[in-house]
């Protein structure tokens, strides 16, 4: 008998496999890369990826302990949480009135 673990991981993998979630994650990676390069010059560019990963990154930023790595970790985890939600919404909209019996 398998527990709820594998089915949850399978669902997350399915939602992250949607085109909308992949485009969102790609955009977040590009924004974060740009911000890390631009922030080395003393600018406030690091807030742009934070806005792109709201609201999940803000909640994680408030829950995690303070530090530079926490800021980056909250943005990465926030992007993943948002991508799962985007992927779930994309799958639900594509499914329409036909419920997916496999998930």
């Amino acid at each position: 008998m398998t527990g709820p673990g594998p089915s949850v991981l399978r669902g997350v993998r399915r939602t992250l496999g949607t085109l909308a979630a992949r485009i969102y994650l790609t955009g977040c990676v590009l924004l974060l890369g740009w911000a890390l390069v631009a922030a080395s010059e003393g600018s406030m560019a690091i807030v742009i990826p934070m806005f792109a990963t709201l609201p999940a990154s803000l909640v994680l930023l408030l829950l995690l302990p303070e530090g530079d790595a926490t800021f980056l970790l909250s943005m990465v985890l926030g992007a993943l949480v948002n991508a799962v939600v985007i992927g779930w919404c994309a799958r639900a909209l594509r499914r329409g009135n036909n419920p997916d019996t496999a998930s």
Side-chain angles (χ1 to χ4, degrees):
M1 182 172 138
T2 62
S7 64
V8 169
L9 290 177
R10 189 178 316 121
V12 168
R13 190 172 42 236
R14 259 190 223 148
T15 57
L16 287 176
T18 62
L19 182 63
R22 287 182 182 179
I23 289 171
Y24 173 75
L25 283 176
T26 303
C28 286
V29 166
L30 291 173
L31 275 175
L32 186 59
W34 167 79
L36 290 175
V37 169
S40 65
E41 300 168 0
S43 70
M44 293 283 297
I46 200 71
V47 289
I48 302 297
M50 184 62 126
F51 284 136
T53 58
L54 284 176
S57 62
L58 183 62
V59 171
L60 290 169
L61 188 63
L62 295 175
L63 295 177
L64 295 173
E66 292 184 27
D68 293 337
T70 302
F71 195 70
L72 185 64
L73 182 65
S74 69
M75 282 191 284
V76 169
L77 292 176
L80 287 174
V81 168
N82 288 344
V84 167
V85 171
I86 289 169
W88 178 78
C89 290
R91 285 179 50 82
L93 288 172
R94 189 177 329 116
R95 191 171 49 228
N97 289 333
N98 304 325
D100 187 14
T101 57
S103 58

